[in-house]
Amino acid sequence: MKKTGAVIVAAGLSSRMKAFKPALPFGDSTVANHIINKLRKLNISPITVVTGHKSEELKDSICFDDVRYVKNEKYSETQMFDSVLLGVEDIMNMCDRIMIMPMDLPAILEETLRQVLSIDAALIRTTFQGKPGHPIIISSEFAASLKDYNGENGLKGAMESCGLPITNLDVDDEAVYLDIDTPEEYDRLIEWNYQRGEGYPVSPEVDVKLKAREVFFDETAYKLLKNLITLGSLQQACVETKISYSKGSKIVKDIEHQLGFAVSEKRIGGSGGGGTTLTKEGLRLIDNYEKFIEDINKESKRLYKKYFAHGIRN
């Protein structure tokens, strides 16, 4: 089989998703690691990821050391084809042909990729029921000519105007064009992928509680005290936290009993009326808890990458 490399384009802004697509949970890892892992299992090498928006974050989230990176410095003002050119130029002298695909098509089956790789042709385009999708494979000879193409429709236009025959491979995998440009598309793809037996994505979730003799501070207690800061009334804070007043009173009493000092104090009458506020110790409890959570979440991401980013089935 001819040596095949890959260019994965991940330079976009992800503006409609309102989240960084490559780092979203997918399969038993993330979108980026899930795709790269499948390519590596099929001995596709080298693999170049074209970055742009949040380039360093993307590189940091990928757990494979043998991945190459090229950054599209003008990602916000150029098209996908410009990113393809950068990736192609990076590896076209290192392999016989190049597989090209965007990063936001994570549900493509490994069997589909294997089928595409089995075809020996200069230009290969994957389709589902006649509708074009990805991946696309181009020969290195054709790749070298791409920089001279000045026509429209990007890579599609270059392929269709070059005079070489395009081999359309129709596969039984709708995922070849199911991308994730919006949160709704991502949610639908997750559910669709589960329904066809590929499972739900795995991601870390950390639940942090503070314990003295017993657990006395958790997410509910934190929200209650935060609302107390804002509202200045335990009753209103309980309503905002969606708990009963009796439960809220018990939470505050339990915190103070376990710590041995007051975290709240009542304000009686006066021009501003009565109410309940936090003591300086209560405010410090909230501040330290927030910083603690922030550091734990950072560390959990690091450890998740260490133990799970390669995928459980790898």
Side-chain angles (χ1 to χ4, degrees), residues 109-151:
L109 295 172
E110 186 177 323
E111 177 57 30
T112 297
L113 299 175
R114 190 177 286 108
Q115 284 181 259
V116 179
L117 288 170
S118 70
I119 304 298
D120 185 8
L123 303 177
I124 306 167
R125 180 166 53 196
T126 311
T127 64
F128 174 76
Q129 296 182 355
K131 183 175 179 177
H134 285 85
I136 289 168
I137 292 183
I138 63 174
S139 67
S140 293
E141 290 80 8
F142 173 73
S145 70
L146 280 178
K147 65 180 183 299
D148 299 320
Y149 178 70
N150 295 314

Side-chain angles (χ1 to χ4, degrees), residues 84-96:
V84 169
L85 289 177
L86 290 171
V88 163
E89 183 178 0
D90 184 56
I91 63 170
M92 65 183 179
N93 295 322
M94 303 168 65
C95 50
D96 301 309

Side-chain angles (χ1 to χ4, degrees), residues 214-268:
E214 300 173 351
V215 172
F216 69 91
F217 200 81
D218 57 11
E219 183 67 17
T220 300
Y222 166 72
K223 289 179 180 178
L224 177 64
L225 295 196
K226 283 289 285 187
N227 288 328
L228 192 54
I229 295 172
T230 305
L231 300 171
S233 162
L234 181 58
Q235 185 171 358
Q236 292 179 29
C238 290
V239 171
E240 188 66 25
T241 312
K242 295 181 173 56
I243 58 176
S244 66
Y245 180 76
S246 60
K247 182 176 181 178
S249 297
K250 184 177 185 305
I251 287 173
V252 174
K253 288 178 182 178
D254 285 346
I255 292 172
E256 296 179 335
H257 177 69
Q258 293 291 326
L259 291 178
F261 54 79
V263 297
S264 67
E265 56 187 358
K266 291 185 177 180
R267 185 177 62 246
I268 306 299

Side-chain angles (χ1 to χ4, degrees), residues 180-191:
I180 47 173
D181 286 334
T182 66
E184 293 75 22
E185 288 176 349
Y186 172 67
D187 291 341
R188 284 197 296 269
L189 185 64
I190 293 298
E191 187 61 34

